[in-house]
Amino acid sequence: MLLGGAASAAQAQIAIGHLADYSGATSDVGTPYAQAVADTFAWINKNGGIGGKQLNVDSNDYGYQVPRAIALYKKWSAPDSKVAAIMGWGTADTGRPDRFRGEDKIPYISASYAAR
């Protein structure tokens, strides 16, 4: 019975990918932005989640490196671990993975000013 409850709790979550730059070229502004994103997700969970579902946020420091962003995007878009949305960060991560986005249909929200 305990295992069934754990499975129900896992199903009652919304998976979100979160790219952050805590250590890369834009970390001076990326760090406070990423902390604000993390704080917002925590606030949402503390206040009942979304439609009663908690957010299961996978936050990652990708160091503003495109290969790391692409690897995380592929992880988050895999059928067995697909996220409901991705909170990106900058032009480096926003520009490259978009060639996959049309197929995956994962909302990708970014702080980038790039027109992609």
Side-chain angles (χ1 to χ4, degrees), residues 90-92 94-95 110-116:
T91 304
T94 303
S110 177
S112 173
Y113 293 120
R116 299 197 189 251

Side-chain angles (χ1 to χ4, degrees), residues 16 20 23 42 46 66 80 94 109-110:
I16 304 289
S23 63
K46 182 180 176 183
V66 172
D80 61 336
T94 303
I109 305 156
S110 177

Side-chain angles (χ1 to χ4, degrees), residues 18-41 59-64 87-90 93 111:
H18 174 212
L19 287 173
D21 183 11
Y22 291 114
S23 63
T26 63
S27 62
D28 58 335
V29 291
T31 297
Y33 185 88
Q35 187 59 57
V37 169
D39 290 348
T40 300
F41 289 143
S59 294
N60 289 268
D61 175 14
Y62 78 112
Y64 208 70
M87 185 66 204
W89 162 240
D93 65 271

Side-chain angles (χ1 to χ4, degrees), residues 94-110:
T94 303
R96 290 291 296 164
D98 68 349
R99 63 187 168 153
F100 306 112
R101 282 191 219 128
E103 301 165 16
D104 299 327
K105 299 182 188 218
I106 299 171
Y108 197 98
I109 305 156
S110 177

